[in-house]
Amino acid sequence: MKKAADLIDHIGELDSFKRFGRVKRVVGLMIESQGPQSSIGDLCYIHVGNNRKKVIQAEVVGFREENVILMPYTTVQDISPGSLVEATLKPLEIKVGASLVGSVIDSLGMPLDGSALPKGLTAVPTEQAPPNPMSRPPINEAIDVGVRMIDSLLTVGTGQRIGIFAGSGVGKSTLLGMIARNTTADLNVIGLIGERGREVREFIERDLGPEGLKKSIVVVATSDQPALMRIKGAFTATAIAEYFRDKGLKVMLMMDSVTRVAMAQREIGLAVGEPPTTKGYTPSVFAVLPKLLERTGTNQHGSITSFYTVLVDGDDMNEPIADSVRGILDGHFVLDRNLANKGQFPAVDVLKSISRIMNYIVPEPHVKAAESLREALSTYINSEDLINIGAYKKGSSKEIDTAIQLYPKILSFLKQGTHEKVSMEESVQALFRLMDEGE
């Protein structure tokens, strides 16, 4: 009887009405409709075409007087004055499950090759609140990313969030591919946001490869897609990572790039009438970034270790998005164009990069060895001009003599082939052997 009563109460609470509105006008990316009753973030269906059989998905992004402002996930083609707008009264949901591993999907969670979704998936909302700060376990163990330079000198913790800062063409995608193939994480979730269409397949086949793809889910939102789809790509990738974290897995989330997410949010902000402030970015951009980045990390079930690439215009590390992201994350790796031009890959500038967690998760001898290598490298670079013109005389400084002796070996240590896999243990032992030679 109690079950029957509960069921009757539940039926009584159901909203059996469908709410509709009508399109009044379309200006650029923005669709303005009279009604329906809805909230910010709600998904709506715009019925277009003959007999209104075709449906365009759109999201409520604002209000103007009594009208609803929507943005489409696809194009605004076929929308006409008076097109019917149906409210769903709920945000966008995607379907996630173990059978999705190895797939390439779009921002709405649908396979990019046009195939049907596997059975047995669970619906999850794309936008969720970050974990409660008091429920986040502290990061106390390292994760093996399979890149010698990172594992030894910039050790990453399980659940740490790292920014990879670089200009275009310095090797961000190649580095992400190396990490995806070599990491000991249980699963990779890779968000390719705002990428050129040509680069998507190249990244999957060349950088990621079959070995990386078989333990990855790739979310793709190319640069030709509407701004809302690019933002949803980032939120969809994060929601997928959260789903598997809550199952107790160690997830590796990679997003290339968070700058294009910010640019997409700027497009939306300008379209709904926000004022451009810092270098043309609207205030909502700087509200969305922490909301997105804080969702990763640890919780009581599992962890999301995340790498976010940041495009820096003209290699300016102090531009607004780079500065904002650097302040939110737990460390940053700076890729240097000069190192790439010299043929050093990965082109990470060790002296400008930092892992804020490293000193808490590795033994003291490891920390000291890494500091010694940084000191030797810094000493050589500061004296490089004197050494190159022959103005430095051997024996004038013991530190410079040691740096000159170690420099070729340090360069060799920092380089790693794209398909060369090195475990963390091997990386740390190689660091100890190198620094022992300098004593």
Side-chain angles (χ1 to χ4, degrees), residues 85-254:
V85 181
E86 179 187 347
T88 65
L89 301 181
K90 61 181 182 180
L92 176 70
E93 291 185 336
I94 54 160
K95 293 189 174 181
V96 191
S99 53
L100 209 58
V101 178
S103 302
V104 182
I105 61 175
D106 65 13
S107 301
L108 306 180
M110 302 304 294
L112 214 59
D113 59 5
S115 60
L117 277 171
K119 302 290 184 185
L121 301 180
T122 304
V124 296
T126 56
E127 298 200 31
Q128 300 181 51
N132 186 310
M134 295 306 292
S135 70
R136 288 184 186 263
I139 298 169
N140 51 23
E141 64 174 20
I143 189 167
D144 188 342
V145 300
V147 180
R148 182 168 50 239
M149 170 194 290
I150 295 174
D151 283 337
S152 58
L153 304 175
L154 300 162
T155 311
V156 176
T158 303
Q160 188 173 351
R161 301 163 305 156
I162 295 286
I164 299 177
F165 293 74
S168 56
V170 189
K172 298 183 301 298
S173 298
T174 304
L175 179 58
L176 290 181
M178 287 176 70
I179 294 170
R181 289 193 307 273
N182 298 341
T183 182
T184 55
D186 300 318
L187 175 74
N188 300 314
V189 179
I190 303 170
L192 302 179
I193 312 301
E195 284 284 359
R196 304 172 189 90
R198 172 186 63 80
E199 290 182 333
V200 172
R201 190 163 178 179
E202 284 183 8
F203 174 82
I204 292 168
E205 294 182 358
R206 185 184 61 197
D207 296 327
L208 189 59
E211 181 186 352
L213 184 59
K214 70 183 179 185
K215 63 169 186 175
S216 303
I217 298 172
V218 184
V219 181
V220 176
T222 51
S223 58
D224 60 293
Q225 293 181 327
L228 198 57
M229 279 290 269
R230 281 175 269 147
I231 288 181
K232 284 298 165 189
F235 281 88
T236 294
T238 306
I240 292 170
E242 287 171 325
Y243 172 85
F244 287 103
R245 174 181 64 186
D246 292 343
K247 297 291 182 186
L249 299 185
K250 291 181 182 178
V251 183
M252 180 74 76
L253 172 65
M254 302 177 193

Side-chain angles (χ1 to χ4, degrees), residues 209-346:
E211 181 186 352
L213 184 59
K214 70 183 179 185
K215 63 169 186 175
S216 303
I217 298 172
V218 184
V219 181
V220 176
T222 51
S223 58
D224 60 293
Q225 293 181 327
L228 198 57
M229 279 290 269
R230 281 175 269 147
I231 288 181
K232 284 298 165 189
F235 281 88
T236 294
T238 306
I240 292 170
E242 287 171 325
Y243 172 85
F244 287 103
R245 174 181 64 186
D246 292 343
K247 297 291 182 186
L249 299 185
K250 291 181 182 178
V251 183
M252 180 74 76
L253 172 65
M254 302 177 193
M255 195 173 292
D256 185 14
S257 73
V258 73
T259 306
R260 294 191 180 112
V261 176
M263 289 176 173
Q265 181 60 40
R266 176 174 63 183
E267 284 182 43
I268 292 174
L270 292 172
V272 298
E274 276 191 84
T277 51
T278 312
K279 285 198 175 178
Y281 287 100
T282 56
S284 63
V285 172
F286 302 99
V288 163
L289 286 176
K291 189 175 165 188
L292 174 66
L293 303 179
E294 284 289 350
R295 286 170 60 180
T296 57
T298 58
N299 71 359
Q300 61 269 43
H301 306 294
S303 66
I304 303 173
T305 308
S306 47
F307 288 89
Y308 298 96
T309 68
V310 181
L311 284 166
V312 285
D313 293 333
D315 296 331
D316 175 15
M317 296 296 166
N318 295 315
E319 61 98 24
I321 300 304
D323 211 34
S324 178
V325 170
R326 189 166 50 238
I328 298 168
L329 300 179
D330 309 317
H332 54 272
F333 299 165
V334 177
L335 271 59
D336 190 284
R337 193 175 300 279
N338 292 326
L339 294 178
N341 292 341
K342 291 176 183 176
Q344 179 181 313
F345 290 100

